[in-house]
């Protein structure tokens, strides 16, 4: 197959030998791919400085039987202003972990690619927690796991007061929650926040300071638990973020 030109963001990397690495790159045209970087572990390797996690690249690729091979890479955005902030870096790594876990290989999903870029741009506007919540809620929506926020599983419209969040699919009334032992309390303010984010573009969201801190904290906790439920495992990036917050 001839060389392929595309844009992509480096999601993860793993050493393959003393000289080589395998990269997970989320591309605009091919979705999440595994790409082989020959010789990139060498100190003077031409491509090594470009292939950092979180970098958006202009890529040249060659498709082999198992992996793509990276033939060229140039940095479009490095997000250095995020990487100089440990808190924002931890969220960038969180976004990347979610992409690696949930996105199938070699399946184009341009909406998620656009979402990732817009969420990283939002993260640069000092909307740290809100950017995380925005990406998570939009991301699970794109995957088909977006929570139901308007109607309970019993069929009734969600009314204010005494509601719960079910990992089976969304908001429950108090009566339905009795049949779901894992359901957790959710405030009206968080339901409103989730509804608002679900229909808004990143550019219309405010800074964290304009949203009540307790609402952000509750929303973040609910989504963290929901994501680990969907992933069926603990997320390393969430543990890292908790450690960063304690510094």
């Amino acid at each position: 197959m001839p060389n392929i030109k595309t844009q992509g963001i480096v999601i993860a990397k793993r050493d393959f030998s003393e000289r080589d690495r395998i990269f997970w790159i989320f591309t605009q045209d091919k979705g999440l791919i595994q790409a082989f970087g020959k010789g990139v572990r060498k100190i003077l390797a031409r491509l090594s400085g470009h292939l950092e996690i979180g970098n958006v690249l202009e890529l040249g690729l060659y498709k082999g039987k198992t992996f793509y091979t990276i033939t060229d890479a140039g940095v479009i955005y490095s997000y250095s202003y995020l990487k100089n902030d440990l808190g924002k870096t931890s969220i960038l790594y969180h976004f990347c972990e979610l992409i690696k876990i949930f996105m199938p290989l070699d399946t184009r999903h341009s909406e998620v690619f656009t979402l990732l870029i817009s969420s990283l741009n939002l993260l640069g506007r000092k909307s740290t927690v809100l950017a995380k919540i925005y990406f998570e809620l939009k991301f699970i929506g794109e995957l088909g796991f977006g929570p139901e926020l308007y109607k309970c599983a019993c069929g009734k419209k969600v009314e204010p007061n005494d509601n719960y969040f079910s990992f089976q699919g969304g908001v429950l009334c108090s009566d339905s929650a009795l049949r779901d032992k894992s359901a957790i309390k959710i405030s009206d303010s968080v339901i409103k926040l989730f509804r608002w984010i679900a229909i808004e573009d990143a550019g219309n969201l405010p800074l964290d300071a304009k949203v009540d801190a307790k609402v952000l904290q509750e929303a973040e906790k609910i989504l963290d638990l929901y994501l680990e439920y969907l992933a069926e495992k603990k997320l390393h990036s969430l543990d890292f973020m908790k450690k960063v917050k304690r510094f």
Side-chain angles (χ1 to χ4, degrees), residues 23-234:
F23 295 87
W24 283 258
I25 302 175
F26 190 46
T27 69
Q28 191 172 35
D29 303 320
K30 305 293 181 181
L32 183 64
I33 64 170
Q34 288 180 308
F36 192 57
K38 291 185 178 181
V40 296
R41 294 191 66 194
K42 294 188 295 183
I43 294 175
L44 298 178
R46 179 174 60 89
L47 299 178
S48 61
H50 300 319
L51 296 167
E52 295 298 325
I53 293 174
N55 282 2
V56 180
L57 307 173
E58 190 74 43
L59 287 161
L61 302 167
Y62 179 83
K63 181 69 167 73
K65 291 182 178 180
T66 306
F67 296 111
Y68 289 86
T69 297
I70 301 168
T71 58
D72 193 23
V75 177
I76 301 173
Y77 306 113
S78 66
Y79 292 108
S80 58
Y81 55 91
L82 300 182
K83 297 172 186 176
N84 291 330
D85 182 312
L86 189 57
K88 292 180 187 293
T89 299
S90 69
I91 295 176
L92 185 154
Y93 275 64
H94 176 59
F95 293 172
C96 291
E97 184 180 23
L98 293 180
I99 295 289
K100 187 171 182 285
I101 289 173
F102 288 104
M103 297 304 296
L105 288 172
D106 302 311
T107 303
R108 180 178 179 177
H109 208 314
S110 57
E111 293 85 359
V112 174
F113 183 85
T114 300
L115 171 64
L116 179 57
I117 298 299
S118 63
S119 298
L120 290 172
N121 291 336
L122 179 62
L123 186 58
R125 288 173 42 210
K126 300 183 179 180
S127 300
T128 307
V129 179
L130 201 57
K132 175 177 176 288
I133 293 169
Y134 174 85
F135 177 79
E136 291 170 339
L137 199 59
K138 295 280 194 179
F139 181 64
I140 57 180
E142 289 290 346
L143 297 179
F145 298 118
E148 173 56 56
L149 301 171
Y150 293 90
K151 185 184 293 184
C152 175
C154 69
K156 295 180 181 177
K157 179 182 177 182
V158 172
E159 300 289 352
N161 300 320
D162 203 19
N163 291 301
Y164 293 77
F165 186 88
S166 169
F167 301 133
Q168 303 298 322
V171 179
L172 299 178
C173 66
S174 56
D175 291 337
S176 295
L178 294 174
R179 297 186 290 275
D180 187 342
K181 293 182 180 180
S182 66
I184 57 176
K185 199 81 171 67
I186 185 171
S187 68
D188 294 340
S189 296
V190 171
I191 293 173
K192 290 177 182 178
L193 178 65
F194 284 172
R195 287 174 175 175
W196 180 45
I197 289 175
I199 61 173
E200 280 292 353
D201 293 327
N204 295 329
L205 297 182
L207 303 181
D208 286 352
K210 295 186 178 180
V211 181
D212 186 275
K214 290 182 179 179
V215 174
L216 290 175
Q217 184 178 21
E218 181 190 346
E220 186 177 21
K221 179 182 177 181
I222 289 172
L223 285 174
D224 287 351
L225 291 170
Y226 188 38
L227 285 164
E228 290 191 329
Y229 170 82
L230 293 174
E232 298 182 333
K233 64 178 182 179
K234 289 287 185 180

